[in-house]
Amino acid sequence: MSTSRQLVQKTLGKRYARERRFRWYGALSILVGILFLGFLLVTTVSNGYKAFVQTYVQIDVDLSAAQFGGEITPESIAAANFDGIIKDSLRNAFPEVSGRTDRRALYGLVSNGAQYDLREMLLEDPSLAGGVTPVWLLADDEVDVFMKGRIDRNEPEANRRLKDNAIGWIDQWVDEGRVEKRFNEPFFTNGDSREPEQAGIFGAIMGSFFTIAVCMLLAFPIGVAAAIYLQEFAPKNRITDIIEVNINNLAAVPSIIFGLLGLAIFLNAFGLPRSVPLVGGMVLSLMTLPTIIISSRAALAAVPPSIREAALGVGASPIQTVLHHVLPLAMPGMLTGSIIGLAQALGETAPLLVIGMVAFIVDVPTSPLDPGTALPVQIYLWSDSPERAFVERTSAAIMVLLMFLVAINGFIVLLRKKLERRW
Amino acid sequence: MNQEASNSTSSLLEKDVVDNPDFVTVGTITADDAAMTCRNVDVHYGDKQAIYNVSVDIGRNEVIAMIGPSGCGKSTFLRCLNRMNDTIDICRVSGDIRLEGEDIYDRAMDIVLLRARVGMVFQKPNPFPKSVYDNVAYGVRLHGLTKTRAELDEVVEKSLKKAGLWNEVSDRLDKPGTGLSGGQQQRLCIARAIAISPEVILMDEPCSALDPIATAKIEELIDELREQYSIAIVTHSMQQAARVSQRTAYFHLGKLVEVGPTDDIFTKPTHGLTEGYITGRFG
């Protein structure tokens, strides 16, 4: 009769119960995580999906030659007063409207950017001019919000931005089939604007793109080189210990402090321009460096020492050993670290605020030296704006940012797969 | 002889070796024709001394086996011969080690050149995660030993043939070297070592991770390689030492206790500790 067998058997039930319990804890945490993520996605998408369409109204615009000083040439088109033309057309559409306040409300139904769109349209196709032509124009954001059902017409008039008369005109247009929702192209091609219907994400996308490109071009080579030196070549002494501790500390420093550092060094000491993605990238690379160095060192440390010995044993110099054998094996791990750093940098707002990338910039940056803003900063800016139409744009911008993240992560995962050797 | 008596004898003998700072290796440390000479080699790991005053020759075209219980410093000593210990920060080597009369720890000695002249095969087969061909060609390319692709092909083929691997891998030179079996991998590592035509080959327990059949093949190979190279092999298997070597060195706790012709060491060892180890009384 074996007593140890009995003793073991007695504990078995408890052990299995504990195992089951832990599995449940794990599953539960995953479930909670998924729920939160799902909640985030659902609210973002449900708030934001409508931003991808935009309301346009069709107006019969008087484009007779008289409006262009009698002769229709590119010069006369460029010089024409399209604001006046559109206002005239609106007055013609609702001749009964009189009085300054009512007229102003009527003019407000069309975006004040429509005049520029109209000029573009005519410059592209001068044949439109010469008579009264129905033209689709960008509607004002309040019209857009109303058409998307976010303004309740039963609300007392005083609480509405859109008054009863305006709703009446819109209803009339709707009846005549003069209101249409189209794909919101301006959102993807414009820079920021005070007018929600003209505000686009493209400026922020380009700003983020340049910022991240500068950040990666700086942080990845410097981080990998630092990791290689520290891991493979540096002597183990007090100084390298201190460096290591400090790198680990830097990884936990709040990002706003990196922003202040960038402000002090890059802007004040070096005199680099404010609000430019170049400086943004430099600041973010400071912030990303510790992450990349730490993960790269871990990746290097995970390369089996036997490979190093093999290379040294056939007479490879230390640098050759690292470049030919250790680095290729560590590269997938290094890229994983860089993904984390890059994702962090892409979502970072605070340091960019400090170096002025929060400025209101309408132009789309075309180089890292043009003033710009970044996606997370744009989200912050829009979320802070009072116009209702910015609510859905904020969510749409979040969706674009998430897409960006998914695209970048996907790309690096692919790259990793390619580099990973399974032999 | 009863167990207790033998234990006390061996501990007395051990005291004589370990506690005696003036202990002198028993037997003949010199070889008739030495490729490498080591004199008064001490190795320290930080404060700890791992090798005490070891003097021995590596004979040309002969195999010297280094045996001894675990932790006796035989691997450490072997790694001094191509300065592999340099990679360990806290390791200090003193004494005089010469390859064909040149001090390998001299400032003028280039470590890359030294390792090209003194090749090494490790305990665990460690092919590069590259193709079989690239594994063998790596060192050759590194040192620029061949000018044309045809020459390189020839060197690779010759090395694989010498390592007795050609017949098994000639049709899959472009397949990963890590896909071979353990024994094949180790022979690939030997091919990699001999591809750069070293003068001395160091082998650190090359068969400890292999099965008996693969071991037999490697042992056969070592015997053939002796015609061209000088070989120093560390092994845990006394049978292997007896089979492949011409001279044997017995290490004990960092000291070289006895060196001599293998036949003498295994039939009539002079020192009691050597006798105790090869007869299996301790170790």
Side-chain angles (χ1 to χ4, degrees):
Chain A
M1 191 71 207
S2 126
T3 49
S4 80
R5 180 185 161 168
Q6 286 172 330
L7 284 173
V8 169
Q9 232 157 20
K10 236 197 262 174
T11 62
L12 275 182
K14 244 185 178 171
R15 272 153 65 176
Y16 287 142
R18 181 181 290 173
E19 207 149 297
R20 270 195 301 277
R21 210 158 53 231
F22 269 102
R23 217 174 310 161
W24 273 109
Y25 290 155
L28 203 68
S29 345
I30 298 269
L31 193 73
V32 170
I34 289 177
L35 273 179
F36 277 116
L37 187 67
F39 182 70
L40 170 81
L41 283 180
V42 167
T43 43
T44 307
V45 171
S46 65
N47 270 331
Y49 77 98
K50 281 183 176 162
F52 295 123
V53 290
Q54 174 69 39
T55 307
Y56 283 77
V57 292
Q58 191 190 40
I59 292 164
D60 298 326
V61 187
D62 177 15
L63 294 172
S64 54
Q67 300 278 22
F68 303 98
E71 203 178 347
I72 301 168
T73 63
E75 289 78 32
S76 68
I77 292 176
N81 173 16
F82 283 97
D83 188 34
I85 295 176
I86 291 174
K87 282 179 179 164
D88 288 346
S89 310
L90 285 168
R91 259 202 318 276
N92 292 338
F94 298 100
E96 71 279 9
V97 177
S98 57
R100 283 182 63 141
T101 338
D102 284 356
R103 279 202 179 147
R104 195 178 293 160
L106 178 63
Y107 300 155
L109 292 183
V110 172
S111 164
N112 62 10
Q115 45 176 312
Y116 308 110
D117 295 343
L118 187 57
R119 173 177 296 153
E120 289 289 308
M121 251 184 262
L122 284 186
L123 284 173
E124 239 169 65
D125 183 9
S127 68
L128 289 175
V132 175
T133 320
V135 177
W136 288 98
L137 292 176
L138 192 59
D140 187 65
D141 59 304
E142 291 299 334
V143 179
D144 187 46
V145 170
F146 175 74
M147 287 309 295
K148 287 170 180 168
R150 291 194 200 271
I151 291 181
D152 184 3
R153 63 173 80 211
N154 300 322
E155 191 100 348
E157 190 179 12
N159 295 349
R160 278 189 261 121
R161 287 281 301 271
L162 215 53
K163 305 301 177 196
D164 283 341
N165 51 1
I167 289 177
W169 300 324
I170 295 170
D171 285 342
Q172 192 181 329
W173 274 338
V174 171
D175 290 342
E176 291 169 12
R178 285 177 180 273
V179 180
E180 196 176 272
K181 274 185 245 164
R182 296 187 184 173
F183 175 68
N184 192 355
E185 207 188 307
F187 182 71
F188 292 99
T189 53
N190 285 2
D192 197 9
S193 170
R194 290 276 181 247
E195 302 298 331
E197 75 275 4
Q198 294 171 55
I201 196 82
F202 192 57
I205 288 178
M206 289 313 284
S208 264
F209 172 78
F210 287 127
T211 307
I212 293 301
V214 169
C215 169
M216 237 27 220
L217 285 178
L218 283 176
F220 190 70
I222 295 177
V224 168
I228 289 175
Y229 178 74
L230 285 174
Q231 191 67 26
E232 304 285 328
F233 299 111
K236 297 267 169 294
N237 56 28
R238 190 172 288 261
I239 296 173
T240 45
D241 281 350
I242 291 174
I243 291 176
E244 183 167 355
V245 168
N246 276 300
I247 288 174
N248 292 342
N249 275 342
L250 280 180
V253 166
S255 54
I256 186 105
I257 291 174
F258 286 106
L260 290 168
L261 180 77
L263 174 67
I265 294 179
F266 299 139
L267 297 189
N268 293 347
F270 292 177
L272 290 170
R274 294 167 64 94
S275 308
V276 298
L278 175 72
V279 177
M282 285 159 83
V283 168
L284 290 182
S285 69
L286 287 182
M287 200 198 77
T288 329
L289 262 177
T291 316
I292 294 183
I293 293 176
I294 292 169
S295 61
S296 297
R297 286 191 68 176
L300 287 169
V303 174
S306 64
I307 293 292
R308 272 171 259 249
E309 285 191 329
L312 292 172
V314 292
S317 65
I319 275 288
Q320 285 170 328
T321 304
V322 169
L323 292 184
H324 296 175
H325 302 286
V326 178
L327 200 57
L329 287 174
M331 199 40 96
M334 290 178 165
L335 285 176
T336 310
S338 311
I339 299 178
I340 297 168
L342 193 65
Q344 241 179 11
L346 185 57
E348 200 53 70
T349 323
L352 301 183
L353 304 185
V354 182
I355 57 146
M357 284 185 77
V358 72
F360 173 70
I361 293 151
V362 177
D363 292 325
V364 175
T366 53
S367 85
L369 281 168
D370 290 340
T373 185
L375 278 168
V377 181
Q378 188 69 76
I379 291 168
Y380 162 74
L381 282 173
W382 283 350
S383 70
D384 210 27
S385 299
E387 287 86 352
R388 293 199 52 171
F390 273 128
V391 174
E392 59 180 32
R393 277 177 168 72
T394 306
S395 292
I398 293 173
M399 282 153 77
V400 171
L401 179 67
L402 289 178
M403 299 289 253
F404 239 64
L405 277 175
V406 169
I408 289 176
N409 287 355
F411 171 71
I412 296 189
V413 167
L414 272 182
L415 200 67
R416 235 187 89 176
K417 277 267 152 58
K418 232 184 131 143
L419 290 174
E420 222 162 38
R421 282 184 247 187
R422 294 193 192 282
W423 53 23
Chain B
M1 207 194 303
N2 70 41
Q3 192 66 36
E4 213 169 286
S6 82
N7 276 351
S8 67
T9 332
S10 58
S11 68
L12 266 178
L13 282 165
E14 196 164 18
K15 247 188 156 50
D16 178 47
V17 173
V18 176
D19 296 342
N20 176 9
D22 300 321
F23 174 79
V24 179
T25 304
V26 178
T28 325
I29 59 164
T30 53
D32 296 336
D33 180 11
M36 294 187 86
T37 55
C38 312
R39 293 294 176 268
N40 312 104
V41 177
D42 287 333
V43 179
H44 290 83
Y45 287 117
D47 301 334
K48 206 176 145 281
Q49 189 162 5
I51 300 275
Y52 297 84
N53 198 24
V54 168
S55 299
V56 67
D57 287 354
I58 314 291
R60 198 184 310 284
N61 296 351
E62 71 167 21
V63 178
I64 179 167
M66 300 180 186
I67 59 171
S70 293
C72 69
K74 51 193 191 303
S75 287
T76 301
F77 178 68
L78 191 75
R79 291 165 65 94
C80 294
L81 301 180
N82 69 344
R83 293 184 56 177
M84 214 56 189
N85 282 335
D86 288 14
T87 55
I88 301 163
D89 277 339
I90 56 166
C91 183
R92 274 185 302 116
V93 179
S94 59
D96 185 68
I97 304 179
R98 289 173 184 275
L99 171 63
E100 306 294 351
E102 291 171 66
D103 184 355
I104 66 167
Y105 279 88
D106 192 73
R107 279 179 172 278
M109 172 56 77
D110 189 274
I111 195 159
V112 167
L113 182 64
L114 171 70
R115 289 190 186 138
R117 292 172 66 187
V118 183
M120 189 156 190
V121 176
F122 297 86
Q123 184 169 357
K124 226 183 100 208
N126 56 356
F128 299 128
K130 297 173 187 288
S131 70
V132 172
Y133 184 95
D134 286 338
N135 261 284
V136 182
Y138 179 69
V140 185
R141 282 197 190 117
L142 203 60
H143 301 299
L145 300 182
T146 57
K147 290 212 170 55
T148 62
R149 176 79 195 201
E151 276 181 273
L152 185 60
D153 287 347
E154 198 183 316
V155 170
V156 169
E157 182 175 340
K158 227 169 68 187
S159 309
L160 283 169
K161 274 182 176 156
K162 271 195 212 162
L165 196 60
W166 179 252
N167 291 336
E168 291 159 63
V169 299
S170 59
D171 56 339
R172 47 172 169 159
L173 289 175
D174 54 341
K175 295 282 184 312
T178 40
L180 302 176
S181 75
Q184 288 173 328
Q185 285 188 21
Q186 194 61 299
R187 276 180 285 150
L188 179 62
C189 293
I190 294 176
R192 181 175 68 193
I194 58 184
I196 48 178
S197 311
E199 295 157 37
V200 180
I201 302 176
L202 311 175
M203 298 187 176
D204 189 358
E205 298 181 35
C207 302
S208 66
L210 305 181
D211 66 85
I213 295 168
T215 302
K217 278 193 178 160
I218 302 248
E219 286 178 5
E220 221 172 280
L221 174 62
I222 292 171
D223 208 42
E224 285 165 20
L225 292 176
R226 177 165 63 92
E227 291 169 14
Q228 278 181 293
Y229 308 100
S230 313
I231 298 171
I233 178 171
V234 164
T235 176
H236 265 304
S237 153
M238 281 175 282
Q239 290 82 353
Q240 184 171 67
R243 281 194 296 262
V244 301
S245 69
Q246 284 69 54
R247 287 166 73 230
T248 297
Y250 173 67
F251 284 78
H252 191 92
L253 291 178
K255 292 192 174 169
L256 178 55
V257 176
E258 183 168 354
V259 197
T262 300
D263 293 342
D264 293 354
I265 294 278
F266 282 95
T267 51
K268 41 181 196 297
T270 314
H271 201 277
L273 274 180
T274 319
E275 188 189 356
Y277 182 71
I278 62 172
T279 54
R281 257 184 288 141
F282 65 91

